[in-house]
Amino acid sequence: MSIGIGIVGCGMIANFHARAIADAEGAHLVGAYSRRKQECDAFAEKHGGRGFGSLEEMLADPEIQAVSICTPSGLHLDSAVAAAKAGKHVIVEKPLEITTERCDQIIKACDEAGVRLSVAFQSRFHQSSLLMKEAVDSGRFGKVTMGDAYVKWYRSQEYYDSGEWRGTWKLDGGGALMNQAIHSVDLLLWLMGPVKQLSAMTSTLTHERIEVEDVAVATLQFESGALGVIEATTTAYPGALKRIEISGNEGSAILEEEDIKAWEFANETETDAKVRAEMVGKTDTGGGASDPSAISHDGHTKIIEETVRAINEGRPTTINGHEGRRSVEVICAIYESAKTGKIVKLG
């Protein structure tokens, strides 16, 4: 059964969701809603479907089985809960919400309504990410000792000035970490497992008229005993691709956006040379490093398709609310450590 999807919010990221829905097998776009009716109608004219006059009107449409939330981060809660209560499955653009408490409210609403909840962490579906995950899970790194994430991106002052919600605690929920680096934080936790404790520093060094950080550094201890670092910034001109490094006593690998830049193991297999040869040059966009629109919608298509399969098969989604909550928990702990100057324990 093809799943009809409505989009809430008609900003930049909503365009990627619309293209993903158009390409996704088993899904179709019914329409969109935005508080700005003119913007909503223009969006519908561009992508198809109809522009709804209110969220209530959208949620009352029987053709819509799922809703994709593309509003500013701090507004995800209200739309997601309303959709769940209306019996609609929920897809939320990252982050799930800006605090763990607000994440929990979304998770609870979806659980109580019996609807599926999916969070848009599309980087997990890259072939390179899946290879890294398989290598970790199969023990190829031996004892994993370090896991690091580096997001050295660039955002101009004009970027923050382009929307009054950008760079605010209330609606953005944070800066370089919560908005830009959260994909890498999610990947790091997916690969390395839960964080036991962390310490951090953040600062705002080059941007004006924002409340949040444009530079952040955190040191982590994972529950496995491994150590790690998260570095995130929007001040690193001209912007570099995001980078994940995993190290152990039997292997090391480096993931740079969709490319595998290093892949070395003590116990070489016949497929390793193929990975090194074929998994470079896979990134064909700027990865959002300096231009947030310079990304592909292919990953979002995979998110939509996986959600559709989960709905039709009556099972939880792969990247469900609990998975989406993990990165928010760690980022909020980083903010707490930076504010208090203390080590923060999790779990």
XYZ file of all heavy atoms in Angstrom, residues 63-120:
421
model
N -6.432 10.685 3.356
C -5.417 10.206 2.422
C -4.021 10.235 3.047
O -3.107 9.568 2.575
C -5.423 11.052 1.143
C -4.547 10.475 0.037
C -4.518 11.320 -1.224
O -5.314 12.273 -1.322
O -3.677 11.035 -2.099
N -3.856 10.997 4.124
C -2.556 11.105 4.786
C -2.444 10.053 5.889
O -3.233 10.047 6.829
C -2.356 12.521 5.375
C -2.222 13.534 4.241
C -1.138 12.569 6.291
C -2.079 14.966 4.707
N -1.482 9.179 5.733
C -1.198 8.178 6.766
C 0.029 8.530 7.612
O 0.201 8.019 8.715
C -0.965 6.795 6.141
C -2.206 6.134 5.590
C -2.460 6.519 4.152
O -1.545 6.505 3.328
N -3.689 6.868 3.831
N 0.886 9.402 7.085
C 2.111 9.778 7.796
C 2.385 11.256 7.589
O 2.010 11.842 6.565
C 3.301 8.951 7.312
N 3.050 11.848 8.574
C 3.372 13.269 8.534
C 4.876 13.438 8.721
O 5.477 12.824 9.609
C 2.612 14.039 9.627
C 3.089 15.474 9.710
C 1.110 14.008 9.345
N 5.470 14.258 7.884
C 6.905 14.558 7.962
C 7.071 15.953 8.564
O 6.586 16.940 8.008
C 7.527 14.497 6.565
O 8.918 14.652 6.613
N 7.751 16.036 9.707
C 7.894 17.292 10.446
C 9.179 17.991 10.023
O 10.285 17.507 10.276
C 7.910 17.047 11.965
C 6.741 16.154 12.399
C 7.925 18.374 12.720
C 5.385 16.741 12.186
N 9.047 19.165 9.388
C 10.198 19.915 8.871
C 10.223 21.345 9.397
O 10.753 22.243 8.741
C 10.174 19.920 7.348
S 10.336 18.284 6.600
N 9.646 21.561 10.564
C 9.653 22.885 11.194
C 10.980 23.123 11.900
O 11.795 22.205 12.029
C 8.513 22.963 12.225
O 8.718 21.932 13.205
C 7.169 22.768 11.571
N 11.246 24.351 12.399
C 12.416 24.555 13.256
C 12.425 23.556 14.418
O 11.362 23.130 14.903
C 12.233 25.996 13.739
C 11.509 26.664 12.616
C 10.560 25.624 12.099
N 13.608 23.192 14.860
C 13.786 22.075 15.789
C 12.930 22.182 17.043
O 12.338 21.197 17.499
C 15.263 21.964 16.178
O 16.073 21.845 15.032
N 12.858 23.379 17.614
C 12.128 23.566 18.856
C 10.625 23.588 18.698
O 9.899 23.758 19.693
N 10.147 23.379 17.464
C 8.709 23.306 17.208
C 8.264 21.900 16.821
O 7.107 21.684 16.466
C 8.312 24.289 16.100
C 8.529 25.777 16.401
C 8.170 26.619 15.178
C 7.692 26.214 17.605
N 9.168 20.930 16.869
C 8.817 19.566 16.478
C 7.757 18.954 17.382
O 6.883 18.208 16.925
C 10.065 18.677 16.489
C 11.035 18.969 15.393
N 12.269 18.357 15.295
C 10.958 19.815 14.334
C 12.903 18.810 14.235
N 12.134 19.701 13.635
N 7.845 19.248 18.671
C 6.993 18.584 19.658
C 5.516 18.727 19.339
O 4.786 17.729 19.242
C 7.285 19.130 21.060
C 6.350 18.651 22.175
C 6.446 17.150 22.365
C 6.673 19.386 23.485
N 5.034 19.947 19.197
C 3.600 20.175 19.053
C 3.040 19.484 17.811
O 1.983 18.831 17.869
C 3.300 21.671 18.996
C 3.554 22.367 20.331
O 3.687 21.659 21.348
O 3.639 23.609 20.356
N 3.730 19.607 16.691
C 3.236 18.993 15.450
C 3.296 17.472 15.526
O 2.368 16.787 15.063
C 4.062 19.477 14.256
O 3.944 20.876 14.082
N 4.355 16.943 16.101
C 4.510 15.486 16.197
C 3.444 14.882 17.101
O 2.846 13.847 16.775
C 5.901 15.135 16.697
N 3.199 15.499 18.241
C 2.186 14.991 19.171
C 0.798 15.080 18.553
O -0.014 14.150 18.649
C 2.248 15.751 20.512
C 1.045 15.413 21.384
C 3.540 15.409 21.249
N 0.509 16.198 17.882
C -0.787 16.353 17.230
C -0.986 15.286 16.155
O -2.077 14.712 16.026
C -0.904 17.746 16.620
N 0.070 15.015 15.383
C -0.018 13.993 14.337
C -0.263 12.617 14.945
O -1.102 11.846 14.456
C 1.260 13.990 13.508
N 0.463 12.294 16.009
C 0.288 10.991 16.664
C -1.133 10.833 17.188
O -1.770 9.784 17.006
C 1.304 10.834 17.790
N -1.633 11.860 17.834
C -2.992 11.798 18.381
C -4.051 11.655 17.287
O -5.142 11.127 17.531
C -3.266 13.034 19.239
C -2.502 13.029 20.566
C -2.848 14.245 21.419
C -2.147 14.160 22.777
N -2.454 15.346 23.627
N -3.712 12.124 16.095
C -4.617 11.981 14.955
C -4.449 10.629 14.275
O -5.113 10.358 13.252
C -4.377 13.104 13.951
N -3.585 9.778 14.814
C -3.369 8.448 14.256
C -2.439 8.402 13.070
O -2.420 7.422 12.324
N -1.635 9.452 12.878
C -0.702 9.504 11.753
C 0.686 9.053 12.210
O 1.143 9.405 13.295
C -0.602 10.927 11.194
C -1.946 11.613 10.934
C -2.779 10.899 9.879
C -4.050 11.697 9.587
N -4.941 11.014 8.611
N 1.371 8.288 11.375
C 2.764 7.947 11.632
C 3.605 9.214 11.486
O 3.230 10.145 10.768
C 3.222 6.865 10.665
C 2.375 5.621 10.730
N 2.444 4.721 11.765
C 1.413 5.163 9.889
C 1.578 3.742 11.557
N 0.942 3.988 10.427
N 4.753 9.242 12.161
C 5.508 10.489 12.283
C 6.952 10.296 11.821
O 7.656 9.395 12.294
C 5.488 10.999 13.739
C 6.265 12.306 13.864
C 4.047 11.194 14.224
N 7.384 11.149 10.920
C 8.786 11.240 10.498
C 9.274 12.624 10.913
O 8.643 13.629 10.566
C 8.929 11.072 8.977
C 8.309 9.744 8.515
C 10.395 11.166 8.549
C 8.014 9.695 7.028
N 10.368 12.684 11.657
C 10.850 13.963 12.178
C 12.247 14.253 11.639
O 13.154 13.425 11.768
C 10.887 13.976 13.720
C 11.306 15.352 14.232
C 9.528 13.597 14.291
N 12.429 15.408 11.034
C 13.764 15.859 10.654
C 14.601 16.019 11.921
O 14.095 16.350 12.991
C 13.674 17.180 9.884
C 14.998 17.770 9.464
C 15.854 16.845 8.614
O 15.290 16.099 7.773
O 17.087 16.870 8.783
N 15.899 15.755 11.811
C 16.776 15.874 12.991
C 16.793 17.308 13.498
O 16.605 18.250 12.705
C 18.191 15.394 12.654
C 18.903 16.217 11.534
C 19.465 17.533 12.027
C 20.034 18.375 10.924
N 20.349 19.746 11.347
N 17.051 17.523 14.795
C 16.998 16.531 15.865
C 15.552 16.174 16.183
O 14.631 16.904 15.773
C 17.637 17.274 17.045
C 17.254 18.702 16.820
C 17.303 18.881 15.319
N 15.344 15.077 16.901
C 13.979 14.719 17.286
C 13.317 15.891 18.004
O 12.184 16.245 17.700
C 14.010 13.480 18.188
C 12.667 12.999 18.746
C 11.655 12.759 17.632
C 12.866 11.739 19.581
N 13.982 16.470 18.953
C 13.593 17.723 19.613
C 14.846 18.289 20.277
O 15.929 17.744 20.113
C 12.457 17.518 20.621
C 11.129 18.216 20.236
C 11.151 19.749 20.333
O 12.145 20.297 20.851
O 10.164 20.398 19.937
N 14.724 19.378 21.027
C 15.928 20.057 21.522
C 16.264 19.731 22.968
O 17.293 20.161 23.463
C 15.810 21.583 21.333
C 14.613 22.150 22.090
C 15.727 21.912 19.843
C 14.541 23.669 22.079
N 15.412 18.968 23.667
C 15.738 18.461 25.003
C 15.246 17.024 25.094
O 14.339 16.608 24.356
C 15.066 19.277 26.133
O 13.639 19.061 26.090
C 15.371 20.765 26.014
N 15.817 16.269 26.009
C 15.379 14.880 26.178
C 13.940 14.830 26.676
O 13.193 13.906 26.313
C 16.299 14.138 27.151
O 16.381 14.856 28.392
C 17.695 13.986 26.571
N 13.553 15.799 27.489
C 12.172 15.813 27.990
C 11.178 15.960 26.840
O 10.143 15.286 26.797
C 11.983 16.942 28.997
C 12.724 16.773 30.313
C 14.218 17.124 30.211
O 14.628 17.717 29.181
O 14.968 16.802 31.164
N 11.490 16.818 25.897
C 10.603 17.018 24.749
C 10.648 15.800 23.814
O 9.620 15.423 23.236
C 10.963 18.311 24.020
C 10.693 19.554 24.869
C 11.196 20.842 24.212
N 10.392 21.231 23.071
C 9.280 21.951 23.148
N 8.810 22.348 24.318
N 8.607 22.283 22.044
N 11.804 15.184 23.687
C 11.891 13.930 22.931
C 10.984 12.870 23.550
O 10.251 12.161 22.844
C 13.329 13.407 22.917
S 14.490 14.378 21.926
N 11.042 12.766 24.872
C 10.245 11.755 25.578
C 8.753 11.965 25.367
O 7.985 10.996 25.273
C 10.573 11.769 27.070
C 11.958 11.240 27.376
O 12.520 10.517 26.527
O 12.490 11.549 28.467
N 8.330 13.211 25.290
C 6.914 13.491 25.060
C 6.476 13.009 23.672
O 5.370 12.482 23.506
C 6.637 14.983 25.217
C 6.750 15.497 26.647
C 6.450 16.983 26.738
O 5.360 17.438 26.396
N 7.433 17.761 27.191
N 7.336 13.186 22.686
C 7.018 12.697 21.342
C 6.971 11.172 21.330
O 6.038 10.563 20.779
C 8.049 13.211 20.316
C 7.973 14.731 20.186
C 7.825 12.552 18.951
C 9.029 15.331 19.278
N 7.965 10.552 21.933
C 8.019 9.085 21.980
C 6.778 8.524 22.672
O 6.145 7.573 22.187
C 9.300 8.624 22.702
C 10.534 9.006 21.886
C 9.268 7.114 22.952
C 11.846 8.860 22.641
N 6.410 9.123 23.793
C 5.238 8.669 24.543
C 3.963 8.807 23.722
O 3.125 7.895 23.679
C 5.102 9.460 25.850
C 3.923 9.040 26.709
C 3.841 9.884 27.975
C 2.626 9.487 28.821
N 2.502 10.342 30.032
N 3.793 9.942 23.046
C 2.590 10.169 22.244
C 2.473 9.141 21.122
O 1.377 8.626 20.843
C 2.599 11.585 21.680
N 3.586 8.836 20.477
C 3.568 7.858 19.384
C 3.310 6.452 19.914
O 2.560 5.675 19.290
C 4.870 7.923 18.594
S 5.072 9.441 17.618
N 3.912 6.116 21.040
C 3.683 4.800 21.647
C 2.214 4.636 22.037
O 1.598 3.597 21.779
C 4.568 4.614 22.880
C 6.031 4.363 22.527
O 6.311 4.077 21.340
O 6.885 4.455 23.430
N 1.667 5.650 22.665
C 0.267 5.568 23.116
C -0.702 5.481 21.945
O -1.747 4.828 22.045
C -0.063 6.777 23.995
C 0.615 6.749 25.358
C 0.275 7.946 26.219
O -0.265 8.935 25.674
O 0.548 7.902 27.438
N -0.351 6.137 20.839
C -1.226 6.115 19.659
C -1.001 4.888 18.784
O -1.786 4.629 17.860
C -1.021 7.386 18.841
N 0.091 4.157 19.049
C 0.402 2.982 18.242
C 0.855 3.307 16.840
O 0.634 2.537 15.902
N 1.512 4.462 16.682
C 2.001 4.861 15.362
C 3.518 4.764 15.324
O 4.190 4.784 16.359
C 1.556 6.298 15.001
C 0.033 6.375 14.959
C 2.120 7.330 15.982
N 4.058 4.661 14.125
C 5.503 4.560 13.945
C 6.140 5.944 14.046
O 5.579 6.935 13.584
C 5.847 3.943 12.593
C 5.205 2.581 12.365
C 5.790 1.509 13.272
N 5.052 0.267 13.135
C 4.084 -0.126 13.950
N 3.718 0.653 14.958
N 3.471 -1.284 13.768
N 7.343 5.984 14.618
C 8.118 7.222 14.736
C 9.488 6.987 14.131
O 10.177 6.019 14.479
C 8.251 7.627 16.214
C 9.185 8.793 16.537
C 8.764 10.060 15.817
C 9.242 9.023 18.053
N 9.896 7.863 13.226
C 11.182 7.737 12.548
C 11.899 9.080 12.575
O 11.264 10.130 12.406
C 10.971 7.294 11.097
O 12.199 7.056 10.443
N 13.215 9.063 12.808
C 14.020 10.288 12.870
C 14.998 10.302 11.698
O 15.628 9.286 11.392
C 14.773 10.387 14.205
C 15.508 11.724 14.308
C 13.818 10.221 15.385
N 15.146 11.440 11.050
C 15.918 11.543 9.807
C 17.419 11.642 10.075
O 18.020 12.723 9.972
C 15.443 12.735 8.984
